[in-house]
Amino acid sequence: MTSSPSPYPIFDADNHMYETEDAFTKFLPEQYRSAVRYVEVDGRTKIAIKGQISEYIPNPTFSVVARPGAQEDYFRRGNPEGKSYRELVGKPMRSIPAFREPEARLKLLDEQGVERTLMFPTLASLLEERMRDDPQLTHVVIHALNQWMHETWSFDYENRIFATPVITLPIVDKAIEELEWVVERGARAILIRPAPVPTYGYSRSFGLPEFDPFWKKVVEADILVGFHSSDSGYNRYTDDWEGANKEYLPFKPEAFRLVNQWRPIEDTVSSLICHGTLTRFPQLKIAFVENGASWVEPLIASLKNVYKKGPQMFEEDPITVLRRNVHISPFWEDDMSKLVDLLGEDRVLYGSDYPHPEGLAEPASFAAELTNVSEEVKAKILGGNMSRLIPV
């Protein structure tokens, strides 16, 4: 696997690992073992959370996966023929060691011309929503995942691969304990689900003051907070419209649900601003990864309108807050120059989403496509801005 060289160092803000079957269970205490199981259904292996079989990822073992970049053409020109997802992704491939372990991945990064990268989990994005009614269990399983991630990938591999441990927030004291645990082991970035925080019987925004002790610790650790696209639980709202009770399935798109698919990200950004977190903690480093950028301009317009009508509801201009704290790694096919105009050149990050099918097969190839910004801005997008957020 080789790629066209980039004239600037690439710090890829969006790479992924494929978890092994024991990622959630190897360190799970015995009394919780039944909460996460792999089961056989009609000859295929599925994952079951709390006894419920999930179709969220068709093959949760990742023994066979879609080819990296299999959907590049789809995202470049659309789908005028109306092909199915299976037709779009084509023939799958066997997982290779570079998808599973850091030493092999580091060699692949060298071949690809990528200097450093954030490394997000894949299957982990289903956990929190499917355990939302049991906060204690959620914390236990997430800690087991982080133990596996640290053992398998470390949180800082050769100062080049930065795996992102997950921090779940239902019980604030436990979230702080987990944060301290991963920071002690070298974490440079963490992953938080862009969704309301569930607790016993209700949910609430992590932007509320009750979470300030956690955010204070994040600032003290000088750690990057990544909000990566996930199952944010918004299916329950679309279910209200469709009279259904369906699991969120990212690989089975439906028109009505796609129209509103970035609402969780809008709400996440809005909560951090409107509930005051980013004003109380102006040093917080926030990055939204693989959530696109189509929501940014409408959100700015909404915040401007609300601020114009009710400035007394804000401690400072919300657009100032947005442009100070928020960084965005959009889809590779998004208009980077437009996002630079909206947020500023220091707030835009490049992420390839490798090795997912909707990402780029050759991450460094994006350098040649980034032609509508200056060379200085190109250098920042490709790696300079990430290097500021996670310095060597």
Side-chain angles (χ1 to χ4, degrees):
M1 299 180 185
T2 58
S3 181
S4 304
S6 166
Y8 306 107
I10 293 178
F11 191 152
D12 195 326
D14 187 22
N15 264 213
H16 286 271
M17 65 182 76
Y18 284 131
E19 296 95 321
T20 56
E21 284 190 51
D22 64 348
F24 304 154
T25 59
K26 181 174 183 179
F27 294 97
L28 199 58
E30 185 64 35
Q31 65 266 37
Y32 295 100
R33 286 292 172 88
S34 63
V36 181
R37 298 173 58 209
Y38 285 86
V39 298
E40 295 296 317
V41 179
D42 297 330
R44 303 191 67 178
T45 302
K46 299 293 180 181
I47 190 168
I49 307 295
K50 297 187 65 179
Q52 294 295 314
I53 295 172
S54 172
E55 295 287 346
Y56 179 82
I57 298 290
N59 180 11
T61 69
F62 300 118
S63 57
V64 175
V65 297
R67 290 176 296 104
Q71 290 181 276
E72 274 191 48
D73 187 60
Y74 165 74
F75 285 107
R76 291 184 192 282
R77 67 184 190 93
N79 184 17
E81 298 89 2
K83 293 180 179 179
S84 68
Y85 180 79
R86 185 176 294 275
E87 290 172 323
L88 289 170
V89 298
K91 187 177 180 179
M93 64 175 285
R94 289 278 171 186
S95 274
I96 59 176
F99 298 167
R100 303 279 203 171
E101 56 193 56
E103 184 177 358
R105 187 56 160 264
L106 199 61
K107 293 178 182 177
L108 179 58
L109 291 180
D110 288 338
E111 294 175 15
Q112 293 175 328
V114 175
E115 186 174 278
R116 297 194 287 165
T117 186
L118 290 184
M119 189 67 62
F120 292 98
T122 298
L123 189 62
S125 60
L126 67 75
L127 285 176
E128 291 178 80
E129 181 57 27
R130 285 152 189 79
M131 299 185 295
R132 68 187 312 274
D133 61 344
D134 193 336
Q136 179 66 34
L137 174 65
T138 306
H139 281 279
V140 171
V141 174
I142 291 298
H143 181 58
L145 166 65
N146 289 339
Q147 288 177 284
W148 170 86
M149 196 184 304
H150 179 254
E151 178 186 72
T152 305
W153 287 86
S154 86
F155 299 139
D156 180 348
Y157 189 78
E158 301 291 332
N159 203 28
R160 292 184 63 189
I161 298 175
F162 302 99
T164 58
V166 179
I167 305 294
T168 190
L169 298 172
I171 303 171
V172 177
D173 287 345
K174 288 188 175 295
I176 292 173
E177 289 177 11
E178 192 70 18
L179 176 68
E180 292 175 340
W181 188 89
V182 302
V183 169
E184 287 172 1
R185 287 156 180 79
R188 305 292 300 277
I190 57 174
L191 173 59
I192 293 178
R193 185 173 72 129
V197 181
T199 188
Y200 298 100
Y202 66 98
S203 61
R204 72 275 199 213
S205 162
F206 41 54
L208 296 173
E210 67 184 271
F211 291 94
D212 282 2
F214 171 78
W215 296 120
K216 182 174 184 290
K217 292 290 185 180
V218 172
V219 170
E220 290 173 354
D222 190 29
I223 198 167
L224 176 65
V225 180
F227 288 94
H228 192 284
S229 180
S230 181
D231 183 354
S232 295
Y234 273 54
N235 236 35
R236 70 179 63 90
Y237 307 123
T238 48
D239 284 349
D240 285 346
W241 286 96
E242 296 192 333
N245 183 19
K246 295 187 287 187
E247 181 183 31
Y248 171 57
L249 303 176
F251 304 116
K252 292 186 178 180
E254 299 177 26
F256 179 78
R257 293 166 192 259
L258 285 176
V259 169
N260 299 293
Q261 66 178 322
W262 305 121
R263 185 58 186 267
I265 309 309
E266 284 190 64
D267 289 349
T268 296
V269 178
S270 298
S271 71
L272 289 168
I273 293 174
C274 296
H275 294 145
T277 298
L278 298 183
T279 294
R280 295 191 296 275
F281 300 98
Q283 301 88 9
L284 264 179
K285 299 185 296 187
I286 304 290
F288 289 89
V289 180
E290 203 188 331
N291 296 288
S294 61
W295 52 272
V296 178
E297 190 170 19
L299 178 59
I300 288 175
S302 295
L303 288 171
K304 283 183 177 179
N305 185 50
V306 173
Y307 185 61
K308 178 179 71 175
K309 295 176 178 177
Q312 74 281 1
M313 295 187 290
F314 299 86
E315 291 187 40
E316 55 182 327
D317 184 337
I319 307 305
T320 299
V321 177
L322 178 72
R323 291 172 175 158
R324 179 185 66 217
N325 289 85
V326 171
H327 303 74
I328 295 178
S329 174
F331 299 136
W332 57 266
E333 71 271 17
D334 283 332
D335 187 339
M336 294 285 185
S337 64
K338 183 176 181 180
L339 191 56
V340 167
D341 290 341
L342 291 170
L343 287 183
E345 62 189 46
D346 294 330
R347 300 292 178 260
V348 181
L349 314 171
Y350 164 60
S352 69
D353 195 30
Y354 187 90
H356 287 174
E358 60 269 32
L360 290 171
E362 297 186 353
S365 66
F366 184 74
E369 299 186 34
L370 190 55
T371 59
N372 54 355
V373 297
S374 70
E375 292 300 307
E376 179 183 2
V377 173
K378 182 186 291 189
K380 288 184 176 183
I381 292 174
L382 289 172
N385 289 335
M386 272 301 305
S387 294
R388 172 176 47 82
L389 294 171
I390 302 181
V392 176

